[in-house]
Amino acid sequence: PDPDMLYGKSFDGVATEISDIITDMRDVIIRGQIFENEMTVTKNGFKILKLSVTDRKDSISIKIFIKDGEEELPDKLKKGLVIEARGKVEYDNFEGEILMTRVSGIRVSKTPLSTRTDNAPKKRVELHLHTQYSDMDALTPINDLIDTAVKWGHKSIAITDHGVVQSFPDANHTWEDLWKKEKAKRIEAGEE
């Protein structure tokens, strides 16, 4: 038995990018990171585990009907885990979206997801950036956006939330923390 298998039968094959998936595809393999794990119990007592998975380009949900003896499955399939799953993709009338159902196997992926980078020699300045405080427009906290800009080598960003300034204090705290770290590095290196 495959020690990486978390559910179902072992499988081989190449993963399809989630953005390339269309309705009614049989026997599809996807690879992605779990960002949501939700267990529901129906009126009839059926237990349904819904996993939301992203490959950082697109996302899809996986629906698994939990049988007796599989109650530990939600604990195995935690947020942040990178998995490969094999199953059928079809339109779910109840959810109103395309889902992976009839899952035949899920295993831990040995290959981590790639992270986006900005390799441009001349970095841009993001002049239109919304945070979680822009109602119905964005969900990302400002500290995550600033961390990404720093990793990508961007020197500045412009917060353009809709008529609010609630993200400014968080942005300032994040900037102060980053500056303290940078200052400590420079002092350790003998720079002024």
Side-chain angles (χ1 to χ4, degrees), residues 33-63:
Q33 184 175 29
I34 299 171
F35 66 91
E36 190 174 280
N37 171 331
E38 180 185 356
M39 175 74 110
T40 56
V41 180
T42 66
K43 294 177 193 175
N44 300 335
F46 292 110
K47 296 175 186 167
I48 302 171
L49 175 63
K50 184 178 174 188
L51 304 172
S52 297
V53 178
T54 182
D55 61 5
R56 298 197 178 129
K57 293 179 187 168
D58 206 347
S59 301
I60 192 167
S61 293
I62 300 172
K63 189 186 261 189

Side-chain angles (χ1 to χ4, degrees), residues 97-165:
E97 63 181 315
I98 295 173
L99 302 175
M100 177 177 269
T101 58
R102 301 183 193 171
V103 179
S104 62
I106 298 176
R107 68 175 166 227
V108 175
S109 179
K110 294 179 181 174
T111 311
L113 290 181
S114 61
T115 54
R116 288 181 62 183
T117 58
D118 182 355
N119 298 323
K122 186 174 181 182
K123 305 297 183 184
R124 69 183 190 167
V125 174
E126 184 58 58
L127 296 174
H128 189 85
L129 185 70
H130 291 280
T131 71
Q132 72 217 29
Y133 296 108
S134 278
D135 194 29
M136 303 295 286
D137 217 1
L139 298 170
T140 310
I142 188 62
N143 57 329
D144 291 347
L145 295 168
I146 292 172
D147 288 342
T148 300
V150 168
K151 286 178 191 169
W152 288 357
H154 296 192
K155 295 191 186 307
S156 58
I157 57 175
I159 302 168
T160 56
D161 286 335
H162 298 295
V164 296
V165 294

